Amino acid sequence: MSWEAQETERARARQNLHHLEDHRMLYDPYEDEFFDAVVESADRLRAYLSEHIPRCESVALRDGLREIQAALREFLTRMPTQAPGDFGPFWEALRAMRARVGAATGSIADAFDIPVDGDLARIVEQRHNAT
């Protein structure tokens, strides 16, 4: 891949990571989350990734975004119904989704040397965070 193509792909990676930060369901405290809002946000993010994954030129970015999309899809599959007052399964599924998204975000950040800071840093391992 040429230097120009690498820079374009790095910009694409940065844009996608920036878009993740717009989804509070990835990092807000669990007790602040509302079931319907989280499910809607996860579905919107999954749809966004469906549009952007085909534009990826590198395997690193494409695979990282696919992993995020798979985590969202699994979360949405686990959340078809919510028993009133039973938030345990919801928080468990949300915790698992955040862990997978955080790991994939960290991989993308490493591959493209992009610091992760702000709210998104809450779900990414410390070695990936900006100093």
Side-chain angles (χ1 to χ4, degrees), residues 85-118:
D86 184 12
F87 293 103
F90 168 64
W91 286 336
E92 180 183 321
L94 183 58
R95 189 174 299 112
M97 184 263 295
R98 285 178 175 182
R100 284 180 70 185
V101 171
T105 299
S107 293
I108 293 168
D110 278 352
F112 294 94
D113 194 28
I114 299 170
V116 179
D117 56 8

Short mmCIF file of all heavy atoms in Angstrom, two decimals, residues 85-118:
data_model
loop_
_atom_site.label_atom_id
_atom_site.label_comp_id
_atom_site.label_asym_id
_atom_site.label_seq_id
_atom_site.Cartn_x
_atom_site.Cartn_y
_atom_site.Cartn_z
N GLY A 85 -37.88 -4.87 34.95
CA GLY A 85 -37.12 -4.83 36.20
C GLY A 85 -35.93 -5.77 36.26
O GLY A 85 -35.19 -5.76 37.22
N ASP A 86 -35.71 -6.60 35.24
CA ASP A 86 -34.59 -7.54 35.24
C ASP A 86 -33.48 -6.99 34.35
O ASP A 86 -33.44 -7.25 33.15
CB ASP A 86 -35.04 -8.92 34.75
CG ASP A 86 -33.93 -9.95 34.82
OD1 ASP A 86 -32.89 -9.68 35.45
OD2 ASP A 86 -34.11 -11.04 34.24
N PHE A 87 -32.58 -6.24 34.95
CA PHE A 87 -31.51 -5.61 34.18
C PHE A 87 -30.23 -6.42 34.14
O PHE A 87 -29.32 -6.08 33.41
CB PHE A 87 -31.22 -4.21 34.73
CG PHE A 87 -32.37 -3.27 34.52
CD1 PHE A 87 -33.21 -2.95 35.57
CD2 PHE A 87 -32.62 -2.75 33.27
CE1 PHE A 87 -34.29 -2.09 35.38
CE2 PHE A 87 -33.69 -1.90 33.07
CZ PHE A 87 -34.54 -1.57 34.13
N GLY A 88 -30.15 -7.51 34.91
CA GLY A 88 -28.94 -8.34 34.94
C GLY A 88 -28.51 -8.81 33.56
O GLY A 88 -27.36 -8.61 33.16
N PRO A 89 -29.40 -9.47 32.81
CA PRO A 89 -29.01 -9.93 31.46
C PRO A 89 -28.62 -8.78 30.53
O PRO A 89 -27.71 -8.90 29.71
CB PRO A 89 -30.25 -10.65 30.95
CG PRO A 89 -30.99 -11.05 32.18
CD PRO A 89 -30.72 -9.97 33.18
N PHE A 90 -29.31 -7.67 30.65
CA PHE A 90 -29.01 -6.49 29.83
C PHE A 90 -27.60 -5.99 30.13
O PHE A 90 -26.79 -5.78 29.22
CB PHE A 90 -30.05 -5.41 30.09
CG PHE A 90 -29.71 -4.06 29.53
CD1 PHE A 90 -29.60 -3.87 28.16
CD2 PHE A 90 -29.52 -2.97 30.37
CE1 PHE A 90 -29.29 -2.62 27.63
CE2 PHE A 90 -29.22 -1.72 29.85
CZ PHE A 90 -29.10 -1.54 28.48
N TRP A 91 -27.29 -5.79 31.41
CA TRP A 91 -25.97 -5.29 31.77
C TRP A 91 -24.88 -6.29 31.41
O TRP A 91 -23.78 -5.91 31.01
CB TRP A 91 -25.92 -4.92 33.25
CG TRP A 91 -26.67 -3.66 33.55
CD1 TRP A 91 -26.95 -2.64 32.68
CD2 TRP A 91 -27.23 -3.28 34.79
NE1 TRP A 91 -27.65 -1.64 33.32
CE2 TRP A 91 -27.84 -2.01 34.62
CE3 TRP A 91 -27.30 -3.88 36.04
CZ2 TRP A 91 -28.48 -1.34 35.65
CZ3 TRP A 91 -27.94 -3.22 37.07
CH2 TRP A 91 -28.53 -1.96 36.87
N GLU A 92 -25.17 -7.58 31.55
CA GLU A 92 -24.19 -8.61 31.19
C GLU A 92 -23.89 -8.55 29.68
O GLU A 92 -22.73 -8.59 29.27
CB GLU A 92 -24.72 -9.99 31.56
CG GLU A 92 -23.79 -11.13 31.22
CD GLU A 92 -24.40 -12.47 31.54
OE1 GLU A 92 -25.08 -12.59 32.58
OE2 GLU A 92 -24.21 -13.39 30.74
N ALA A 93 -24.93 -8.46 28.87
CA ALA A 93 -24.75 -8.38 27.42
C ALA A 93 -24.04 -7.07 27.03
O ALA A 93 -23.17 -7.06 26.15
CB ALA A 93 -26.10 -8.48 26.72
N LEU A 94 -24.39 -5.98 27.70
CA LEU A 94 -23.76 -4.69 27.42
C LEU A 94 -22.28 -4.74 27.80
O LEU A 94 -21.42 -4.26 27.05
CB LEU A 94 -24.49 -3.58 28.19
CG LEU A 94 -24.01 -2.15 27.97
CD1 LEU A 94 -24.10 -1.76 26.50
CD2 LEU A 94 -24.81 -1.19 28.85
N ARG A 95 -21.96 -5.34 28.93
CA ARG A 95 -20.57 -5.46 29.38
C ARG A 95 -19.76 -6.27 28.37
O ARG A 95 -18.64 -5.89 27.99
CB ARG A 95 -20.53 -6.13 30.75
CG ARG A 95 -19.17 -6.11 31.41
CD ARG A 95 -19.21 -6.67 32.84
NE ARG A 95 -20.09 -5.88 33.68
CZ ARG A 95 -21.27 -6.29 34.20
NH1 ARG A 95 -21.69 -7.51 33.95
NH2 ARG A 95 -22.00 -5.51 34.96
N ALA A 96 -20.32 -7.39 27.89
CA ALA A 96 -19.62 -8.23 26.91
C ALA A 96 -19.41 -7.48 25.60
O ALA A 96 -18.33 -7.55 24.99
CB ALA A 96 -20.41 -9.52 26.68
N MET A 97 -20.42 -6.75 25.16
CA MET A 97 -20.31 -6.00 23.92
C MET A 97 -19.24 -4.91 24.06
O MET A 97 -18.40 -4.74 23.19
CB MET A 97 -21.67 -5.38 23.56
CG MET A 97 -21.69 -4.64 22.23
SD MET A 97 -21.47 -2.86 22.40
CE MET A 97 -22.93 -2.40 23.29
N ARG A 98 -19.25 -4.21 25.17
CA ARG A 98 -18.26 -3.15 25.38
C ARG A 98 -16.84 -3.72 25.39
O ARG A 98 -15.92 -3.10 24.86
CB ARG A 98 -18.52 -2.43 26.69
CG ARG A 98 -19.69 -1.48 26.62
CD ARG A 98 -19.93 -0.82 27.96
NE ARG A 98 -20.99 0.18 27.88
CZ ARG A 98 -21.35 0.93 28.91
NH1 ARG A 98 -20.74 0.83 30.08
NH2 ARG A 98 -22.33 1.81 28.76
N ALA A 99 -16.66 -4.89 25.98
CA ALA A 99 -15.33 -5.50 26.03
C ALA A 99 -14.83 -5.82 24.62
O ALA A 99 -13.67 -5.54 24.28
CB ALA A 99 -15.35 -6.75 26.89
N ARG A 100 -15.70 -6.39 23.80
CA ARG A 100 -15.31 -6.73 22.41
C ARG A 100 -15.06 -5.47 21.59
O ARG A 100 -14.09 -5.41 20.83
CB ARG A 100 -16.39 -7.58 21.75
CG ARG A 100 -16.40 -9.01 22.21
CD ARG A 100 -17.48 -9.82 21.52
NE ARG A 100 -17.18 -10.05 20.12
CZ ARG A 100 -18.02 -10.67 19.29
NH1 ARG A 100 -19.20 -11.11 19.72
NH2 ARG A 100 -17.69 -10.84 18.01
N VAL A 101 -15.90 -4.48 21.74
CA VAL A 101 -15.72 -3.23 20.99
C VAL A 101 -14.44 -2.54 21.45
O VAL A 101 -13.68 -2.03 20.64
CB VAL A 101 -16.95 -2.30 21.14
CG1 VAL A 101 -16.66 -0.92 20.55
CG2 VAL A 101 -18.17 -2.92 20.47
N GLY A 102 -14.18 -2.56 22.75
CA GLY A 102 -12.96 -1.95 23.27
C GLY A 102 -11.70 -2.63 22.74
O GLY A 102 -10.74 -1.96 22.35
N ALA A 103 -11.71 -3.96 22.70
CA ALA A 103 -10.55 -4.69 22.17
C ALA A 103 -10.35 -4.40 20.69
O ALA A 103 -9.22 -4.16 20.24
CB ALA A 103 -10.74 -6.19 22.40
N ALA A 104 -11.42 -4.38 19.92
CA ALA A 104 -11.32 -4.10 18.48
C ALA A 104 -10.89 -2.66 18.24
O ALA A 104 -10.07 -2.39 17.35
CB ALA A 104 -12.64 -4.39 17.79
N THR A 105 -11.40 -1.74 19.03
CA THR A 105 -11.01 -0.34 18.92
C THR A 105 -9.52 -0.19 19.20
O THR A 105 -8.81 0.52 18.49
CB THR A 105 -11.83 0.53 19.89
OG1 THR A 105 -13.21 0.40 19.54
CG2 THR A 105 -11.42 1.98 19.85
N GLY A 106 -9.05 -0.88 20.23
CA GLY A 106 -7.62 -0.85 20.56
C GLY A 106 -6.76 -1.41 19.43
O GLY A 106 -5.69 -0.88 19.13
N SER A 107 -7.23 -2.47 18.78
CA SER A 107 -6.49 -3.06 17.65
C SER A 107 -6.40 -2.08 16.49
O SER A 107 -5.35 -1.95 15.86
CB SER A 107 -7.17 -4.35 17.19
OG SER A 107 -7.08 -5.33 18.18
N ILE A 108 -7.51 -1.42 16.20
CA ILE A 108 -7.50 -0.42 15.12
C ILE A 108 -6.56 0.73 15.49
O ILE A 108 -5.76 1.18 14.67
CB ILE A 108 -8.93 0.10 14.85
CG1 ILE A 108 -9.80 -1.02 14.26
CG2 ILE A 108 -8.90 1.31 13.91
CD1 ILE A 108 -11.29 -0.69 14.22
N ALA A 109 -6.66 1.19 16.72
CA ALA A 109 -5.80 2.29 17.17
C ALA A 109 -4.33 1.92 17.05
O ALA A 109 -3.51 2.73 16.61
CB ALA A 109 -6.15 2.68 18.61
N ASP A 110 -3.98 0.69 17.43
CA ASP A 110 -2.60 0.23 17.32
C ASP A 110 -2.15 0.16 15.86
O ASP A 110 -1.06 0.61 15.52
CB ASP A 110 -2.44 -1.17 17.93
CG ASP A 110 -2.28 -1.14 19.43
OD1 ASP A 110 -2.14 -0.05 20.01
OD2 ASP A 110 -2.31 -2.23 20.03
N ALA A 111 -2.99 -0.41 15.02
CA ALA A 111 -2.63 -0.61 13.62
C ALA A 111 -2.37 0.71 12.89
O ALA A 111 -1.54 0.76 11.99
CB ALA A 111 -3.72 -1.40 12.90
N PHE A 112 -3.06 1.76 13.31
CA PHE A 112 -2.95 3.04 12.60
C PHE A 112 -2.32 4.13 13.45
O PHE A 112 -2.34 5.30 13.07
CB PHE A 112 -4.33 3.48 12.09
CG PHE A 112 -4.85 2.54 11.04
CD1 PHE A 112 -5.69 1.49 11.37
CD2 PHE A 112 -4.45 2.67 9.72
CE1 PHE A 112 -6.13 0.60 10.42
CE2 PHE A 112 -4.88 1.79 8.76
CZ PHE A 112 -5.73 0.74 9.11
N ASP A 113 -1.78 3.73 14.61
CA ASP A 113 -1.09 4.67 15.50
C ASP A 113 -1.97 5.89 15.80
O ASP A 113 -1.56 7.04 15.61
CB ASP A 113 0.25 5.10 14.90
CG ASP A 113 1.14 5.79 15.93
OD1 ASP A 113 1.00 5.48 17.13
OD2 ASP A 113 1.95 6.64 15.52
N ILE A 114 -3.19 5.59 16.27
CA ILE A 114 -4.14 6.63 16.61
C ILE A 114 -4.37 6.60 18.12
O ILE A 114 -4.77 5.57 18.65
CB ILE A 114 -5.49 6.41 15.88
CG1 ILE A 114 -5.29 6.45 14.37
CG2 ILE A 114 -6.52 7.45 16.32
CD1 ILE A 114 -6.50 6.01 13.58
N PRO A 115 -4.10 7.68 18.82
CA PRO A 115 -4.38 7.69 20.25
C PRO A 115 -5.88 7.67 20.51
O PRO A 115 -6.66 8.27 19.77
CB PRO A 115 -3.75 8.99 20.74
CG PRO A 115 -3.65 9.85 19.54
CD PRO A 115 -3.55 8.95 18.34
N VAL A 116 -6.25 6.96 21.53
CA VAL A 116 -7.66 6.92 21.94
C VAL A 116 -7.77 7.71 23.22
O VAL A 116 -7.11 7.41 24.21
CB VAL A 116 -8.14 5.47 22.16
CG1 VAL A 116 -9.60 5.45 22.61
CG2 VAL A 116 -7.97 4.65 20.89
N ASP A 117 -8.61 8.74 23.18
CA ASP A 117 -8.78 9.57 24.36
C ASP A 117 -10.25 9.89 24.53
O ASP A 117 -11.10 9.32 23.84
CB ASP A 117 -7.92 10.83 24.28
CG ASP A 117 -8.21 11.65 23.02
OD1 ASP A 117 -9.16 11.32 22.29
OD2 ASP A 117 -7.47 12.62 22.77
N GLY A 118 -10.55 10.75 25.44
CA GLY A 118 -11.95 11.12 25.67
C GLY A 118 -12.74 9.95 26.23
O GLY A 118 -12.19 9.03 26.84
#
